[in-house]
Amino acid sequence: MNLRHLRCFITVAEELHFGRAAERLHIEQSPLSRAIKKLESDVGARLFERTSRGVQLTWAGKVFVEDARRILLVIEQAKGNVRAAAAGFRGRLRIALSDGIAQARLTALLALCREEEPDIEIRLFEMPLSQQLKGLKNDLYDAGFTLFDGLKADVVAQPVWQDPIVVTIPPRHPLLAHKRVALREVLNYPLVLCNPETCAGCDQQLERLLRSIDSQPQVAERVSTTDLMLTLVAAGYGVGFSNAAYAASCRHPEVVVRPLADRSLAVTTFLLRSNATPSEQLSRFIERVVRIGSRPATLAS
């Protein structure tokens, strides 16, 4: 087994098509097929079913693809550790990010870490929440940030930041008549909301908010990023929600931000880590996160 075979396997597993996988890898199909056969021989199991309808992962293949991704990630992390050591860093923290964490908070945190402990390298990884949880369990990440709070007992979820919810509104919209917008008024118009598959925490908190009003929301579109939400709002697809800190750092020239009338409505960011005793450098990192969270959020006007 070698890394090239693993990369070939993962690409075929993602494409479920040898032709497309070969194009992605910039090789011919014949050496790709030989690499897969050699890998199947090495692991002692068939990884793909080849039928007239196409290519599918076997159950063994589905199990192995998670391990293969983890092996490649560990290799990349090892390379990064060597480069960091050569550059003078004496330690490192691997931090996972899910749900579009507010840029202003993250910028302030990273700047504080560089100021107080410059010899610790901090590496950031963006991913869906499900991948973050697997990585925390398998020691691929030291900690992570998410907006999701319904977690299992083997993960510690510590609330660290709270940011007021704001409404993002297209120009010349009736809601602009209000300096502060009542949530019930917002639900009279189509909404651009989070995609629950890629932004589980954001979707969870917004759905909880919307259920507090006895009205069925009109969902115009579901998106995976705040940038796309702002683009669709600017184009008039509907109105959206964001938190004040993120909205302040991602201003769009064609989007107006208004605070909600209920000042208590906010989104909570959670710091995730395994339930093992944190290292000294992770403990110091968590202490800085708490300090950043104690600062007031930037309120949109």
Side-chain angles (χ1 to χ4, degrees):
M1 187 189 305
N2 61 44
L3 297 181
R4 184 178 70 84
H5 292 163
L6 291 180
R7 292 190 181 96
C8 288
F9 166 64
I10 290 171
T11 305
V12 177
E14 291 174 348
E15 295 291 341
L16 293 178
H17 190 283
F18 274 79
R20 291 195 298 269
E23 289 179 7
R24 273 183 56 184
L25 293 165
H26 306 291
I27 61 176
E28 298 294 328
Q29 286 193 47
S30 295
L32 175 58
S33 296
R34 288 196 296 272
I36 296 300
K37 288 181 180 178
K38 178 64 169 62
L39 183 60
E40 289 178 327
S41 174
D42 288 340
V43 300
R46 292 185 62 186
L47 302 174
F48 295 101
E49 291 285 355
R50 303 164 181 82
T51 69
S52 58
R53 294 175 294 177
V55 178
Q56 297 293 327
L57 282 164
T58 63
W59 173 244
K62 291 178 181 179
V63 170
F64 186 58
V65 74
E66 296 297 330
D67 290 327
R69 288 189 176 117
R70 185 164 60 250
I71 290 168
L72 290 184
L73 180 57
V74 169
I75 293 294
E76 290 304 312
Q77 289 186 353
K79 291 179 181 177
N81 294 342
V82 171
R83 290 192 292 267
F89 291 109
R90 300 297 177 183
R92 58 98 170 86
L93 289 171
R94 304 156 300 172
I95 308 300
L97 305 174
S98 304
D99 296 315
I101 300 305
Q103 293 179 5
R105 300 277 199 188
L106 190 58
T107 299
L109 173 62
L110 295 176
L112 184 61
C113 291
R114 287 175 63 85
E115 176 186 348
E116 296 188 350
E117 208 163 8
D119 59 342
I120 300 297
E121 181 197 27
I122 296 179
R123 301 192 65 198
L124 303 178
F125 305 85
E126 291 186 286
M127 64 198 63
L129 177 62
S130 59
Q131 187 176 339
Q132 179 180 158
L133 294 176
K134 288 180 182 178
L136 290 170
K137 180 179 179 181
N138 294 314
D139 195 33
L140 296 179
Y141 311 113
D142 300 292
F145 291 99
T146 182
L147 303 180
F148 192 82
D149 62 357
L151 300 172
K152 297 180 181 178
D154 57 351
V155 175
V156 176
Q158 177 180 349
V160 289
W161 301 334
Q162 272 211 325
D163 295 289
I165 297 174
V166 296
V167 187
T168 56
I169 307 170
R172 298 175 296 280
H173 193 279
L175 286 177
L176 295 180
H178 307 277
K179 287 295 183 183
R180 287 187 169 271
V181 185
L183 181 59
R184 189 174 295 277
E185 288 291 325
V186 177
L187 297 189
N188 290 328
Y189 302 94
L191 303 178
V192 181
L193 298 178
C194 307
N195 185 326
E197 294 183 2
T198 54
C199 307
C202 178
D203 175 71
Q204 179 201 51
Q205 295 202 34
L206 285 180
E207 287 294 330
R208 188 180 298 156
L209 173 69
L210 297 178
R211 285 198 300 270
S212 68
I213 301 295
D214 186 21
S215 178
Q216 185 66 31
Q218 310 169 53
V219 180
E221 191 60 80
R222 296 264 182 186
V223 297
S224 298
T225 66
T226 300
D227 287 342
L228 182 54
M229 180 272 289
L230 293 175
T231 297
L232 295 183
V233 169
Y237 279 62
V239 297
F241 294 99
S242 181
N243 66 67
Y246 202 103
S249 62
C250 298
R251 293 189 182 276
H252 192 291
E254 298 298 322
V255 173
V256 181
V257 176
R258 288 281 193 268
L260 286 171
D262 187 342
R263 298 170 187 261
S264 68
L265 297 177
V267 291
T268 302
T269 298
F270 296 87
L271 176 75
L272 306 186
R273 61 176 178 83
S274 74
N275 57 9
T277 302
S279 65
E280 290 186 7
Q281 63 188 31
L282 179 57
S283 295
R284 292 192 295 271
F285 176 81
I286 295 171
E287 185 269 333
R288 294 187 192 102
V289 172
V290 173
R291 282 158 58 191
I292 293 297
S294 67
R295 299 178 183 180
T298 301
L299 292 176
S301 59

